[in-house]
Amino acid sequence: MNSRVLRIELRRSVAPWAGVVVLAPALAFLYLLNGAWWSGTTAWTAQWTPLALWTRSLLFYVWPLAVGLGALQGLRDHRSKMSELLTSTPRPARHRAATLAGATAITLASAFALLVLAGGVQVLAHTEYTHLGWLPISLVGALFLVAGAVLGMGAGRALPSPLTPPALAMGAFVFTALMHMSLGRTETATADGFPNSEPNRVSLLSPTVEDAREAFVTLSASVHVGQTLWLLGMAGTGFALLVAATRRARLTALTPVLAGAAIALLILPTDPRRMYVVDEAAAELVCDGPVCVTKTQQARLADLAGPGKEALRQLHGALGGQAPVSIRENTAVLPEGSTPQWSRKTVLLDFDDDIVAAAKGEELTRALIAKGMVPGCTPVGWSGFGGDEYAQTVAVGWVLGDLKPLGGTSARMRHEVEAKTRPVWKELNALPRAGQLSRINAMRDAALSCEGDPFEVLSGGASR
């Protein structure tokens, strides 16, 4: 396929429109809707791996469009009533199929590359950590679009009906939805008995991925290999259907996609913790004395080091030998719904935590003291407001000698926090020093083990 043939194919086919239909809705979705992809350390413009994962997640919507447009392209010869004429020409059918598929593949891959480029320019401005570990995620995403479109072309050629494109697009959407919502999920329970839903091996046949939870969590190499084999089989079936001239040849053309799925399922991991894994290089710690962050957040270390060291000094002055001696970013990746795990000697930090996210200077010191005293036991991936937050407020007030709501507390909740915590703070300060330490240590035991309500313990056994 030379450049002249390609230019002609691009002018006379729907291939350019396929690229527009993929790129425009994806950009509109990202820029016009406010969602998790715009906030925190996993925003789609914050780090390279979240960029790749968020753009891959958009295939939930645009991959069915690519399949449907491919089918529309496959109907072209039938609509123009040229099928018999083309079969009588000496040019091999595979050459015509390669031209047809190549034009669409180039436009779809280019559209997806432009989408990634739009985010990548912003990522460059927001992070100092650059790497290529995200690239396989995006390359497989582009391959999903190309393979889906080629399969659609083959199906459109094999089933030349006006209903084929919309039926295939809807079928692709249903397939993706089922993989993401039911057939591709396994219902489990956490160690605490909370219901949970995790992706299974079958879900990895879908083009979409889970939402980005941590900037240093990525897809494993076995996922990339398994998905690539599945997609090569899909593209192979699409191309074989494009050149097939008999019913037997069309049935034989199904072999690549079936073989690709079978081999992929043998390679794809069964354990969700082997599907989404920690990128060891990204999670490597960068430290300033006792304060450490991952490489993905190394730009924040300068602003964190001072308040962090001050927080450790204040904690040591209040708790003595029981105080934590270091602060580091939390790199533990636990199943959603599970109970967090905390350390007595290390303050584990999450930059997406409400009280830490927007804090600077003195407020950041207060937030780190709060996390060192009461790290919080809300199950992973859940949200709530209650005893942990009240206990944090009282504990920080006890350490620093003044009581006020922590940063990140909404204006609506400040009055409630004040009403709940001030009586307990006054009662705590009225006790002898030994009594204060006894309650504080009992509160920390409950807070670090996630057994019991630390605010009830701090209140002397009765909630206020």
Side-chain angles (χ1 to χ4, degrees):
M1 180 174 61
N2 58 41
S3 59
R4 177 174 173 272
V5 173
L6 178 60
R7 288 196 301 270
I8 293 172
E9 186 63 32
L10 288 172
R11 287 200 304 268
R12 65 194 286 263
S13 71
V14 299
W17 291 106
V20 172
V21 167
V22 165
L23 181 61
L27 289 174
F29 189 95
L30 288 171
Y31 281 102
L32 299 182
L33 297 180
N34 187 19
W37 51 89
W38 272 118
S39 60
T41 59
T42 58
W44 81 291
T45 57
Q47 300 286 341
W48 290 105
T49 299
L51 164 67
L53 290 173
W54 281 120
T55 49
R56 269 287 296 274
S57 69
L58 291 177
L59 297 187
F60 185 97
Y61 306 101
V62 299
W63 184 69
L65 295 176
V67 175
L69 286 167
L72 184 63
Q73 181 81 314
L75 287 177
R76 186 182 63 185
D77 293 345
H78 177 76
R79 292 197 316 269
S80 59
K81 305 185 186 303
M82 293 178 57
S83 300
E84 293 184 6
L85 174 63
L86 291 173
T87 55
S88 66
T89 61
R91 188 183 182 193
R94 63 179 181 275
H95 288 183
R96 296 194 304 273
T99 302
L100 183 69
T104 302
I106 290 172
T107 55
L108 287 174
S110 299
F112 193 73
L114 287 173
L115 176 65
V116 174
L117 180 63
V121 171
Q122 298 174 79
V123 171
L124 283 173
H126 291 156
T127 183
E128 296 179 359
Y129 179 63
T130 58
H131 62 106
L132 295 177
W134 61 274
L135 196 54
I137 303 174
S138 294
L139 290 176
V140 173
L143 185 56
F144 257 109
L145 288 173
V146 171
V150 174
L151 181 65
M153 290 179 204
R157 178 70 62 84
L159 302 170
S161 167
L163 297 178
T164 299
L168 279 179
M170 182 56 66
F173 181 78
V174 170
F175 168 79
T176 306
L178 290 176
M179 291 299 101
H180 193 65
M181 298 177 185
S182 58
L183 294 181
R185 311 290 298 185
T186 301
E187 297 297 327
T188 60
T190 65
D192 303 308
F194 292 112
N196 190 25
S197 175
E198 294 183 329
N200 59 36
R201 176 169 48 185
V202 178
S203 71
L204 297 175
L205 298 179
S206 163
T208 192
V209 294
E210 298 288 292
D211 292 346
R213 282 178 48 192
E214 302 288 350
F216 44 78
V217 172
T218 186
L219 289 170
S220 65
S222 57
V223 172
H224 299 319
V225 173
Q227 289 183 334
T228 299
L229 291 173
W230 153 239
L231 294 173
L232 291 176
M234 186 188 299
T237 288
F239 191 83
L241 287 173
L242 273 175
V243 300
T246 64
R247 179 175 296 181
R248 182 176 180 179
R250 294 186 184 105
L251 290 175
T252 305
L254 299 177
T255 302
V257 70
L258 296 177
I263 296 173
L265 289 174
L266 292 176
I267 296 175
L268 293 170
T270 57
D271 186 350
R273 281 160 288 282
R274 290 177 53 231
M275 299 175 191
Y276 295 86
V277 297
V278 173
D279 182 342
E280 298 295 341
E284 184 180 340
L285 295 178
V286 180
C287 301
D288 182 342
V291 181
C292 301
V293 298
T294 64
K295 276 192 173 181
T296 61
Q297 304 300 327
Q298 59 189 0
R300 300 189 182 209
L301 182 58
D303 293 333
L304 178 68
K309 293 172 183 177
E310 175 62 15
L312 291 175
R313 188 185 70 79
Q314 293 285 357
L315 286 168
H316 184 268
L319 300 174
Q322 298 297 314
V325 295
S326 63
I327 295 173
R328 69 173 175 84
E329 187 178 351
N330 192 1
T331 57
V333 180
L334 301 175
E336 189 168 346
S338 58
T339 300
Q341 299 174 2
W342 303 117
S343 167
R344 187 172 290 274
K345 288 300 182 180
T346 301
V347 179
L348 297 177
L349 169 71
D350 185 350
F351 284 107
D352 288 329
D353 191 291
D354 288 342
I355 67 172
V356 174
K360 293 182 179 179
E362 182 182 341
E363 280 299 320
L364 183 54
T365 297
R366 296 180 69 90
L368 293 172
I369 293 173
K371 300 302 291 184
M373 297 292 281
V374 185
C377 290
T378 302
V380 175
W382 296 18
S383 61
F385 194 94
D388 285 341
E389 288 73 24
Y390 300 147
Q392 286 176 340
T393 302
V394 175
V396 174
W398 178 78
V399 171
L400 297 179
D402 65 324
L403 183 73
K404 63 179 182 179
L406 294 168
T409 304
S410 66
R412 183 176 62 86
M413 297 300 299
R414 285 178 178 270
H415 178 74
E416 181 178 339
V417 170
E418 173 74 15
K420 288 275 189 180
T421 58
R422 187 159 293 278
V424 176
W425 182 70
K426 288 182 177 179
E427 179 182 321
L428 179 65
N429 282 294
L431 295 174
R433 180 66 180 176
Q436 294 179 26
L437 279 174
S438 177
R439 282 203 189 179
I440 289 293
N441 287 330
M443 177 208 69
R444 290 194 74 220
D445 288 340
L448 293 169
S449 65
C450 290
E451 296 178 359
D453 186 336
F455 188 60
E456 286 190 9
V457 175
L458 200 57
S459 303
S463 62
R464 298 293 176 114

